[in-house]
Amino acid sequence: MMLKCIPTLVLIVSAFAGFGQQMSTDDWKELSKANIRLLPKYGHHQKTERQKEMDEEFINSTMSQEQFKGDRKAASNHLMELGFTYLYRGDAKTAMYRYNQAYLLDSTNTEVYWGYGAFFMTIGNYSQAAEQYKEGLSIDPKNTHLLTDHGTYFMAQYYAITPIDEKGALSQLDSAITYLASSYSYDSTDMNTAYKLSICYWLKGECDSAWRYYDACKALGGKPITEDYTKDLKKSCKRRK
């Protein structure tokens, strides 16, 4: 059963886009021609000797900090956190700089693909985002951040094609559920994953599952749940006693 496209889903998939108002896909394409720091993994470009020296200086300076105690992955994760801080502020450019520095510190850290994917979702380049999620998951299929955000990518696809291709839209929604459910199976404490699962099942008209994951999200604190979604869920899906 296909339910209507609704504002709640718009909020979910536009949450990324709302962060990146300072940069569009066209902006990124133009800027990245002369700035490899805006390309994932620096675009695998051959760096100049000066760039290599600067990278080494950055690594040495970062790893000399007491808080990391020589742990490059910890330092890489710290840069990831900084990247998302900038992304939430609407500074996608600086966010990508931090994600690349995280990669520079630990190229085996699959969380960098989470950052790269979020960057591309933010600027509206969904195909590039999907490529990052798929590459990361090919290395670590159990990375819940990648699974959840790849599911979010499919939610965005559902929203985009629903008005013109109902059958195709349902297929996208099923894919979203597959990735979100996989993420939830590895980590049932992520309220963001539970919330998105609730929305997906609500869109399909599967009310019992929609309420199940709504309640799971609520039990975890319910921070992502909007008042509008609660109202719409109650209106469309009656609880079984």
Side-chain angles (χ1 to χ4, degrees):
M1 174 183 176
M2 172 68 74
L3 295 181
K4 56 190 178 301
C5 276
I6 38 78
T8 297
L9 184 60
V10 178
L11 290 173
I12 288 293
V13 299
S14 65
F16 287 102
F19 300 146
Q21 295 176 354
Q22 297 179 22
M23 184 182 294
S24 67
T25 294
D26 287 340
D27 292 335
W28 169 75
K29 288 180 178 178
E30 189 62 32
L31 291 169
S32 63
K33 290 178 182 178
N35 185 355
I36 64 172
R37 296 171 70 196
L38 285 173
L39 298 170
K41 302 179 185 178
Y42 302 99
H44 297 289
H45 285 283
Q46 181 65 37
K47 293 185 177 181
T48 66
E49 289 304 314
R50 178 54 185 153
Q51 287 173 328
K52 292 177 183 178
E53 290 175 3
M54 292 175 67
D55 285 348
E56 195 64 28
E57 290 172 4
F58 167 75
I59 292 171
N60 292 336
S61 174
T62 301
M63 297 317 302
S64 68
Q65 297 179 37
E66 177 64 23
Q67 69 187 99
F68 302 128
K69 302 183 185 300
D71 187 339
R72 289 183 69 139
K73 187 165 187 178
S76 177
N77 284 334
H78 175 70
L79 267 295
M80 287 296 302
E81 291 176 6
L82 288 178
F84 277 104
T85 296
Y86 282 108
L87 200 68
Y88 298 152
R89 291 176 181 171
D91 187 352
K93 181 178 180 180
T94 304
M96 179 57 96
Y97 290 171
R98 299 293 87 84
Y99 299 144
N100 270 328
Q101 287 176 328
Y103 170 77
L104 191 64
L105 288 165
D106 182 3
S107 62
T108 70
N109 186 1
T110 55
E111 294 289 77
V112 299
Y113 298 98
W114 180 33
Y116 291 152
F119 170 85
F120 285 117
M121 289 286 283
T122 295
I123 67 173
N125 193 332
Y126 297 121
S127 61
Q128 284 285 343
E131 288 302 312
Q132 296 302 319
Y133 296 140
K134 286 188 286 188
E135 185 174 352
L137 287 169
S138 72
I139 301 168
D140 181 6
K142 296 182 180 180
N143 186 308
T144 57
H145 290 144
L146 294 174
L147 287 166
T148 292
D149 278 12
H150 198 21
T152 306
Y153 157 80
F154 284 108
M155 292 177 76
Q157 298 310 296
Y158 163 85
Y159 172 70
I161 68 175
T162 291
I164 57 175
D165 182 2
E166 182 173 317
K167 184 177 180 180
L170 275 176
S171 177
Q172 298 297 318
L173 197 58
D174 286 338
S175 293
I177 290 173
T178 296
Y179 282 97
L180 291 166
S182 179
S183 180
Y184 191 80
S185 72
Y186 295 124
D187 180 10
S188 60
T189 66
D190 190 325
M191 66 180 76
N192 183 47
T193 305
Y195 180 48
K196 290 177 180 178
L197 275 168
S198 178
I199 292 174
C200 286
Y201 281 115
W202 174 58
L203 288 167
K204 290 193 71 176
E206 297 183 17
C207 293
D208 288 347
S209 293
W211 277 113
R212 172 192 168 195
Y213 288 106
Y214 178 93
D215 291 339
C217 181
K218 201 77 170 177
L220 292 167
K223 187 176 180 180
I225 298 174
T226 66
E227 184 177 346
D228 284 343
Y229 179 59
T230 300
K231 290 179 179 178
D232 286 340
L233 181 60
K234 288 180 178 179
K235 182 178 179 179
S236 301
C237 284
K238 301 299 181 182
R239 277 188 181 273
R240 290 189 181 185
K241 295 183 178 179

